[in-house]
C-alpha cells in the first residue's frame, strides 16, 4: 500500500508528464512512469553501481526481456537496471489473463525465467550471484507443470501418502521421479 500523499504525488507527476508530452488524457503508462520516478528517486541516491556491475545487470535483464519479447511479445511491460528491493534490476512481464494455461505457455515462462542467467554467461563469459530468485521461480514453474499433469499422472503431487498427522507426503520414489523431471525441464 501507498500513503495518500504518495498517491497524490503520483497523480501530480502524471499530470506533469501529460503537459510535458502535450497529451490530452492520462494513460496507464503515465502513472507507471510517475510511480517509478517516486519510488526510484531515493534508491538512485543510495545505490551507485560500478560500470561493470551495471553492465552485468543489464545483460541479465536484457536476457529476460529479449526471451520474453521473442516468446510473449505482448507481455513484456518494462525493463530496468535500477535496483528494486533485493533485486539489482527488474524485467516486468504482464500476466497472461487466460484461466486455462497451455503447456507451451509454461515452457515459455521457464525459458524467460532462466534467460537472464544464460545471457550473463554468454555475454560476459561468467556466472554471477543474484540468480536465486530466477532459479526458484523456474523450479516453481516446473513443479506447477508436473502438478498440472502436463507430463502424465505419475508426476502429480496429489498422488501422495498421508502421514500420522494427516500431512501429505511424497513417497521417496515419487520425490525422486519428480526431482529428476524438474531437473530435466530446467536443463531443456
Amino acid at each position: 500500500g501507498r500513503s495518500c500523499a504518495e498517491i497524490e504525488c503520483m497523480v501530480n507527476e502524471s499530470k506533469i508528464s501529460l503537459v510535458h508530452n502535450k497529451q490530452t488524457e492520462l494513460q496507464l503508462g503515465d502513472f507507471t512512469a510517475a510511480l517509478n520516478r517516486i519510488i526510484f528517486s531515493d534508491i538512485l541516491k543510495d545505490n551507485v553501481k560500478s560500470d561493470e556491475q551495471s553492465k552485468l545487470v543489464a545483460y541479465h535483464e536484457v536476457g529476460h526481456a529479449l526471451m520474453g519479447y521473442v516468446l510473449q511479445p505482448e507481455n513484456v511491460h518494462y525493463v530496468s537496471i535500477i535496483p528494486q528491493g533485493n533485486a539489482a534490476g527488474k524485467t516486468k512481464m504482464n500476466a497472461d489473463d487466460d484461466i486455462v494455461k497451455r503447456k507451451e505457455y509454461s515452457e515459455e515462462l521457464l525459458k524467460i525465467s532462466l534467460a537472464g542467467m544464460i545471457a550473463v554467461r554468454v555475454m560476459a563469459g561468467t556466472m554471477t550471484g543474484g540468480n536465486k530468485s530466477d532459479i526458484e521461480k523456474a523450479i516453481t514453474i516446473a513443479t506447477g507443470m508436473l502438478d498440472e499433469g502436463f507430463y502424465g499422472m505419475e508426476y502429480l503431487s496429489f498422488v501422495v501418502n498421508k502421514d500420522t498427522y494427516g500431512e501429505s507426503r511424497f513417497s521417496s520414489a515419487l520425490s525422486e521421479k519428480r526431482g529428476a523431471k524438474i531437473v530435466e525441464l530446467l536443463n531443456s
Side-chain angles (χ1 to χ4, degrees):
R2 300 272 168 223
S3 71
C4 291
E6 287 176 311
I7 293 171
E8 181 181 12
C9 186
M10 181 182 70
V11 171
N12 289 335
E13 283 283 332
S14 298
K15 289 178 187 176
I16 291 168
S17 177
L18 175 88
V19 171
H20 179 67
N21 294 325
K22 297 181 176 131
Q23 296 172 271
T24 56
E25 58 185 45
L26 288 171
Q27 304 293 321
L28 179 60
D30 298 318
F31 288 102
T32 303
L35 183 61
N36 286 341
R37 280 193 302 276
I38 293 164
I39 292 171
F40 299 141
S41 63
D42 291 334
I43 293 173
L44 287 173
K45 296 172 196 166
D46 298 334
N47 289 296
V48 178
K49 291 185 280 208
S50 69
D51 288 345
E52 180 64 21
Q53 289 290 311
S54 294
K55 189 185 297 186
L56 292 172
V57 171
Y59 289 152
H60 184 97
E61 296 309 328
V62 166
H64 289 305
L66 185 59
M67 185 63 72
Y69 184 75
V70 168
L71 299 175
Q72 299 178 359
E74 67 283 356
N75 289 339
V76 178
H77 184 61
Y78 73 87
V79 181
S80 173
I81 62 167
I82 297 171
Q84 299 183 34
N86 292 332
K90 174 80 173 165
T91 300
K92 172 79 170 100
M93 300 288 292
N94 291 326
D96 188 341
D97 293 334
D98 294 340
I99 294 171
V100 177
K101 302 294 184 206
R102 302 171 291 109
K103 174 183 166 188
E104 293 79 12
Y105 174 79
S106 294
E107 289 171 342
E108 290 168 358
L109 289 180
L110 196 57
K111 291 173 184 174
I112 293 167
S113 69
L114 296 173
M117 180 174 63
I118 294 167
V120 171
R121 183 153 189 201
V122 169
M123 298 303 296
T126 188
M127 294 296 284
T128 61
N131 296 313
K132 181 180 178 184
S133 65
D134 291 344
I135 294 168
E136 287 172 346
K137 183 175 184 179
I139 290 169
T140 299
I141 293 166
T143 301
M145 292 170 73
L146 299 184
D147 291 343
E148 289 293 337
F150 290 154
Y151 297 97
M153 295 290 287
E154 68 267 22
Y155 296 108
L156 297 179
S157 64
F158 60 78
V159 184
V160 295
N161 300 323
K162 298 283 184 182
D163 67 11
T164 54
Y165 302 105
E167 297 283 323
S168 297
R169 302 282 183 223
F170 296 122
S171 69
S172 59
L174 179 59
S175 290
E176 287 179 27
K177 192 173 196 174
R178 285 175 61 88
K181 188 64 176 178
I182 288 169
V183 169
E184 178 186 324
L185 289 170
L186 295 178
N187 287 325
S188 64

